[in-house]
Amino acid sequence: MMYIILIIVVVLAIIYISIYNGLQRAKVNTEESWSQIDVQLKRRNDLIPNLLETVKGYAKHEQETFSKVVELRNQLTSGSNSRQETIDVSNQLTDSLKSVFALAEAYPDLKANQNFLSLQEELANTENKIAYSRQLYNSTVRVYNQKLLVFPSNIIAGIHHFTKMEFLAIPEAEKEVPKVKF
């Protein structure tokens, strides 16, 4: 009888430890996926000054566009934003960068500048990596949050005060269907 109780206690301890470790792994994966977003945002922020310097020589009267890009970049690098605020500012910066790239259409010499073209390609690649990192983050948050809700891990999560993480949301303005006119 004593052996049966001992075996039950050991099995329950193993299950408890396994579930707790699964919760910790899910939490660490979520934090790691957020850091990937940070890495890609930093990469983009490092490319922006080079892009602006290249474009400035061709488009001196576009100072307002440049100022907005610099202001948004500085907001991102301040580090005082919440995750959602960081993503919102990042989305605004992406829109501002589209304006900078649109300038190339007005300046054929700029459009042909190899430095500008390579910076444009690097930023496009970085934007793709940011999008992928956002998807990865939301996927890891989904897995983590599921563990907080399902039995029996929800009991262990409650005991150890694990808290739900928020998904990255898309601003309402970006959800609108674009109007295409010919």
Side-chain angles (χ1 to χ4, degrees), residues 48-83:
I48 289 171
N50 295 331
L51 175 71
L52 293 181
E53 285 305 313
T54 301
V55 175
K56 273 183 185 178
Y58 290 91
K60 294 189 186 313
H61 63 281
E62 302 290 348
Q63 203 58 37
E64 184 179 323
T65 302
F66 300 144
S67 297
K68 178 148 177 104
V69 169
V70 170
E71 175 188 328
L72 290 169
R73 179 184 176 271
N74 290 341
Q75 266 185 280
L76 269 179
T77 57
S78 72
S80 61
N81 301 325
S82 71
R83 288 181 178 178

Side-chain angles (χ1 to χ4, degrees), residues 106-143:
Y107 299 93
D109 291 343
L110 174 60
K111 195 174 177 180
N113 181 297
Q114 189 57 44
N115 193 26
F116 176 78
L117 293 174
S118 65
L119 285 167
Q120 188 176 21
E121 184 177 338
E122 274 296 311
L123 279 168
N125 289 338
T126 301
E127 290 296 330
N128 289 336
K129 289 177 181 179
I130 290 169
Y132 173 78
S133 296
R134 288 176 181 177
Q135 290 174 330
L136 176 64
Y137 175 78
N138 280 341
S139 294
T140 58
V141 166
R142 178 187 47 80
V143 169

Side-chain angles (χ1 to χ4, degrees), residues 27-41 76 81-88 90 130 133-134 136-138 140-141 165-169:
K27 185 177 180 182
V28 167
N29 286 342
T30 302
E31 294 298 327
E32 189 269 339
S33 64
W34 175 256
S35 74
Q36 289 301 318
I37 293 172
D38 271 349
V39 166
Q40 295 308 322
L41 293 177
L76 269 179
N81 301 325
S82 71
R83 288 181 178 178
Q84 191 59 50
E85 289 170 337
T86 298
I87 293 303
D88 292 344
S90 173
I130 290 169
S133 296
R134 288 176 181 177
L136 176 64
Y137 175 78
N138 280 341
T140 58
V141 166
M165 293 193 179
E166 296 298 318
F167 291 100
L168 297 178

Side-chain angles (χ1 to χ4, degrees), residues 160-176:
H160 294 283
H161 307 291
F162 284 86
T163 57
K164 183 180 177 189
M165 293 193 179
E166 296 298 318
F167 291 100
L168 297 178
I170 297 173
E172 288 301 317
E174 289 187 31
K175 291 181 183 178
E176 294 177 17

Side-chain angles (χ1 to χ4, degrees), residues 91-105:
N91 291 339
Q92 291 173 26
L93 182 57
T94 297
D95 290 341
S96 295
L97 287 172
K98 289 176 187 173
S99 300
V100 172
F101 290 135
L103 291 175
E105 297 302 319

